Amino acid sequence: MKYLYTLALFATCSLTFAQSDLYVSNGSYVYVDGTSFASGPNVAPLYVTDDVNLNTNGHIYLRNDAQLLQSNATTTSTNTGAGQLSVQQTGNSNTYMYNYWASPVGQNSGTAGNTALRPNNNFYRETGAPITSTNYGFVSGYDGTATQISSYWLYSFTGLPTTTNAYEDWIGLGGGALPVGGDPNGTLAAGYGFSMKGNPSGAQKYDFRGRPNNGDITVTLNPNRETLVGNPYPSALDAYYFLHDSQNITNTTGAIKYWEQQPGATSHVLSNYVGGYGIYTIATVNDNGTPADLTDDTVTDSFVPASFRMYLLDGTVAGTPPIANAAPKTGRRYIPVGQGFMMEGTASATNVIFSNSHRVFYKQSGADSEFFKTSSTKELTDINTIPEARYTEDGYNIVPEDFKRFRINVGFDNNGNDSYTRQLLMNFHHTATAGFDYGLEAQIAEQVSSDANWILDGTPYAIQAFDYNEALKIPLLVKVNNQQLVRFGIYDIQNFASSQPIFIHDMENNLFINLQDQAYEITLEPGNYTDRFEIVFQDHSLSTEEFNDADFFIMQNNSTSQLTILNPNQLEVKTVSLFDVSGKRILNENSLSVQDRYTFSTKNLSEGVYVTKVTFANQTTTSKKVIVSQKK
């Protein structure tokens, strides 16, 4: 039986509106204000078990984080009608910046079921709050206005296997390949994402109006290529249930990649774009040894931000160009309405599925949601119906007690010009394997000219996981495009005792720097450093067997301010070098004659820890830490 509703649900209402079918007649509307409703996994201000039928000129208005959930008995959408559901979202892109979107609605015409997005049919702009809107206009040029969208920048990204250049994968809505641009009459099937640039003001509210998407929505992912997809529903999407759907586990790498661009862009020229992808994944941590079950297990997410920002050694964003006053965003479990993102298919990829079982009513203002388009202040609300993740004061997920975690910032400082940081995340859990761990690891979306990464099977990773033990040696790869200062620092250190060192081992200088105590800075020449740096948890330079050898002995005599090397067997020494803890070479003596004793003055050195490195004629080396203390 169908029902006619001509009512409004206001903010003072505390009752969830649930119905098996919802029919809105010609000229009638349902207005839903989400202000007073608490987020929940199986409830919403508007919850419909079966289908929504919007008759001609019938409307549903979702406002203030109100959402529509549906739970059809069948997986096929049965929504019908020529009326419109209206749901709003705000972008922060200016005339020159991209946002990635996904439409929660399609055209309000045709037979029952989901329909394709068509911009000139589905994009509206508000002319009078709370419900009055009019269609956006479109301009074919590069620059949008307050009332017109530039159709040129309406693109989908398909990851077609026939293309050889990733830039060629951008296809304008309506089928126009670069540099033709998009068409406001072009269409895009539900579940796929699209790019769009904004207007001169930056923040712009978009009113999506049309038939609400519902039921199973399938999109095609090409093997080992990325595809732009997005949340296709007028409700939040639970990233855990989406990524851990049995079909999606098989066909995706388990990572969601959010595009973020430097604020204040002033050019359409590709070479002037400054941006990158934040990378998110999520896993169930089995706490009790039983099969995975969210009722008694822990969901833990992992996220690293885009690399275009310059981070200070304490993890905060530098307030200097090129990203002054930038507020970094963090990927969260609940994906808001309208959010588009990249996903990569596996070698066996065919389709990825969005389902009503992945949908949840979760407000964008909640602690576990982030929209990669707006810069609104988040409300840390007390929501009892969905377990909230706990976050540090820096906004990072607090992991369970049987986890360990740290982040390492590798900063590239090109004399203050084009400086940025690559952040890498390391997870430790007893369930992690030597191979790929779905939901605990994620590949880097793209690398820039000077960069850093973890490595697995020859592939660069931004997030990696191991079963922790102190004997681990974790390669850290660095590439440098031109001579510059490179900084290594860690933070967000969780469940490591302060007494447990986390070393970066500079193998060339045989330096072990405990990043728990200090950062490491070194000027590197251009090149790919694939076997120079590693993360370890034991200082092997202190090995008794290596340095207390009677054949060769290195010591610092602070009484005489001399570095002394004893060589009783008169081994052929090629060079003697001395480094400070930053990696700077203080002493470099070469072409040494064979002697049984070498002495070098240290009276002009500052007090501190140094590393002596001796290279022999046969190219073997030995090193030892020495402490310089100037006696008074």
Side-chain angles (χ1 to χ4, degrees):
M1 178 179 294
K2 307 292 183 183
Y3 294 89
L4 173 65
Y5 290 93
T6 56
L7 69 153
L9 303 179
F10 295 101
T12 55
C13 178
S14 60
L15 175 67
T16 294
F17 181 43
Q19 184 60 39
S20 58
D21 297 325
L22 177 60
Y23 175 74
V24 183
S25 67
N26 183 13
S28 302
Y29 71 88
V30 174
Y31 180 91
V32 189
D33 187 335
T35 303
S36 294
F37 294 91
S39 299
N42 298 309
V43 297
L46 185 58
Y47 191 98
V48 179
T49 304
D50 291 313
D51 63 301
V52 172
N53 186 342
L54 293 169
N55 205 341
T56 303
N57 204 32
H59 289 83
I60 299 173
Y61 299 103
L62 302 178
R63 295 294 184 265
N64 299 321
D65 251 346
Q67 297 169 24
L68 164 67
L69 259 65
Q70 290 182 256
S71 179
N72 292 57
T74 62
T75 59
T76 302
S77 174
T78 51
N79 290 348
T80 58
Q84 296 176 321
L85 176 138
S86 166
V87 60
Q88 299 175 339
Q89 188 56 277
T90 301
N92 70 339
S93 59
N94 68 14
T95 305
Y96 306 99
M97 293 172 59
Y98 285 115
N99 282 159
Y100 287 178
W101 296 89
S103 178
V105 301
Q107 298 170 70
N108 53 331
S109 61
T111 59
N114 297 323
T115 57
L117 164 76
R118 195 177 78 198
N120 63 4
N121 179 259
N122 298 117
F123 284 166
Y124 284 70
R125 61 183 179 86
E126 185 178 76
T127 56
I131 64 174
T132 306
S133 293
T134 188
N135 291 88
Y136 263 103
F138 290 87
V139 59
S140 60
Y142 293 157
D143 298 345
T145 69
T147 60
Q148 295 177 308
I149 296 171
S150 169
S151 60
Y152 182 87
W153 305 110
L154 296 173
Y155 283 91
S156 64
F157 188 87
T158 58
L160 294 172
T162 56
T163 58
T164 58
N165 184 336
Y167 198 51
E168 297 173 2
D169 290 338
W170 290 101
I171 304 297
L173 265 62
L178 286 167
V180 175
D183 181 349
N185 289 293
T187 59
L188 187 67
Y192 289 95
F194 62 96
S195 67
M196 183 169 68
K197 290 190 177 182
N199 65 28
S201 68
Q204 180 66 30
K205 184 184 293 182
Y206 296 92
D207 188 351
F208 289 90
R209 295 195 176 205
R211 182 182 299 170
N213 293 327
N214 177 42
D216 284 2
I217 297 172
T218 300
V219 299
T220 299
L221 298 184
N222 286 291
N224 299 320
R225 300 294 294 273
E226 290 174 329
T227 301
L228 181 54
V229 300
N231 178 6
Y233 302 115
S235 66
L237 186 76
D238 187 326
Y240 175 80
Y241 284 111
F242 170 60
L243 290 177
H244 287 265
D245 186 288
S246 58
Q247 177 171 324
N248 297 343
I249 287 177
T250 302
N251 294 329
T252 76
T253 60
I256 291 173
K257 302 174 182 179
Y258 294 110
W259 171 256
E260 192 172 1
Q261 198 164 339
Q262 176 186 326
T266 59
S267 172
H268 291 298
V269 178
L270 180 63
S271 61
N272 293 333
Y273 288 178
V274 179
Y277 289 93
I279 305 172
Y280 176 88
T281 190
I282 188 169
T284 296
V285 177
N286 195 336
D287 294 332
N288 53 18
T290 61
D293 181 356
L294 283 184
T295 62
D296 57 12
D297 290 337
T298 304
V299 173
T300 299
D301 54 13
S302 299
F303 175 78
V304 290
S307 62
F308 68 87
R309 291 186 170 89
M310 185 64 184
Y311 287 84
L312 302 177
L313 293 177
D314 63 0
T316 58
V317 178
T320 55
I323 36 200
N325 303 319
K329 298 177 177 64
T330 302
R332 305 292 191 195
R333 176 175 174 178
Y334 301 104
I335 303 171
V337 174
Q339 179 71 66
F341 49 88
M342 289 285 189
M343 292 194 73
E344 184 176 3
T346 62
S348 60
T350 51
N351 297 322
V352 64
I353 188 171
F354 296 91
S355 169
N356 281 348
S357 63
H358 308 155
R359 297 169 70 173
V360 64
F361 171 50
Y362 193 92
K363 292 187 176 184
Q364 183 180 313
S365 56
D368 279 359
S369 184
E370 182 81 75
F371 197 49
F372 274 71
K373 300 177 184 69
T374 61
S375 300
S376 59
T377 301
K378 301 180 68 57
E379 302 173 9
L380 300 180
T381 52
D382 181 15
I383 298 169
N384 298 317
T385 48
I386 295 180
E388 293 276 336
R390 295 183 303 127
Y391 295 94
T392 67
E393 61 182 12
D394 296 317
Y396 291 108
N397 179 213
I398 297 175
V399 298
E401 291 181 357
D402 62 341
F403 244 89
K404 292 182 186 292
R405 166 177 286 185
F406 65 81
R407 299 173 187 273
I408 182 165
N409 281 345
V410 185
F412 298 89
D413 191 349
N414 187 16
N415 296 318
N417 299 316
D418 302 323
S419 300
Y420 54 89
T421 295
R422 168 67 72 182
Q423 184 180 114
L424 304 172
L425 176 60
M426 182 57 63
N427 288 318
F428 298 97
H429 194 259
H430 63 85
T431 60
T433 68
F436 173 68
D437 296 298
Y438 189 94
L440 289 176
E441 299 182 309
Q443 299 175 17
I444 283 181
E446 60 182 5
Q447 291 196 284
V448 290
S449 58
S450 294
D451 215 330
N453 60 271
W454 311 123
I455 193 77
L456 177 62
D457 296 331
T459 300
Y461 275 71
I463 306 172
Q464 198 167 30
F466 288 94
D467 183 2
Y468 176 78
N469 69 78
E470 289 187 3
L472 279 172
K473 296 182 178 181
I474 305 171
L476 175 59
L477 281 63
V478 178
K479 66 174 182 177
V480 177
N481 185 49
N482 56 284
Q483 184 191 63
Q484 60 187 290
L485 182 68
V486 180
R487 299 184 178 95
F488 302 87
I490 62 172
Y491 76 113
D492 187 29
I493 305 165
Q494 297 192 43
N495 297 332
F496 278 90
S498 58
S499 59
Q500 170 59 62
I502 302 173
F503 294 107
I504 182 168
H505 179 201
D506 183 341
M507 290 180 275
E508 181 173 312
N509 294 331
N510 201 32
L511 285 173
F512 289 80
I513 306 301
N514 183 5
L515 296 176
Q516 287 257 49
D517 296 333
Q518 64 181 99
Y520 180 46
E521 298 184 351
I522 186 170
T523 298
L524 293 177
E525 298 296 326
N528 292 322
Y529 297 88
T530 58
D531 55 5
R532 175 165 179 173
F533 302 104
E534 63 182 0
I535 299 297
V536 296
F537 306 96
Q538 297 174 333
D539 185 347
H540 301 287
S541 69
L542 300 179
S543 167
T544 302
E545 293 76 14
E546 183 176 357
F547 293 116
N548 288 345
D549 190 333
D551 290 337
F552 202 85
F553 188 73
I554 302 171
M555 66 178 182
Q556 168 65 21
N557 189 334
N558 286 316
S559 297
T560 61
S561 296
Q562 285 186 325
L563 173 67
T564 301
I565 299 175
L566 302 180
N567 184 21
N569 292 331
Q570 297 195 356
L571 302 175
E572 188 175 353
V573 175
K574 184 178 180 181
T575 62
V576 174
S577 301
L578 189 67
F579 299 86
D580 64 17
V581 290
S582 72
K584 181 180 179 181
R585 197 195 309 260
I586 306 299
L587 173 73
N588 187 37
E589 295 289 340
N590 50 38
S591 301
L592 297 171
S593 60
V594 176
Q595 301 176 34
D596 59 7
R597 181 187 182 95
Y598 302 92
T599 59
F600 306 95
S601 174
T602 60
K603 66 180 181 180
N604 292 324
L605 298 183
S606 301
E607 293 187 347
V609 178
Y610 295 82
V611 175
T612 304
K613 178 180 178 181
V614 178
T615 304
F616 300 98
N618 64 1
Q619 299 304 311
T620 62
T621 62
T622 188
S623 302
K624 184 180 180 181
K625 284 184 180 178
V626 294
I627 298 176
V628 173
S629 176
Q630 303 298 349
K631 299 293 185 180
K632 300 297 184 181

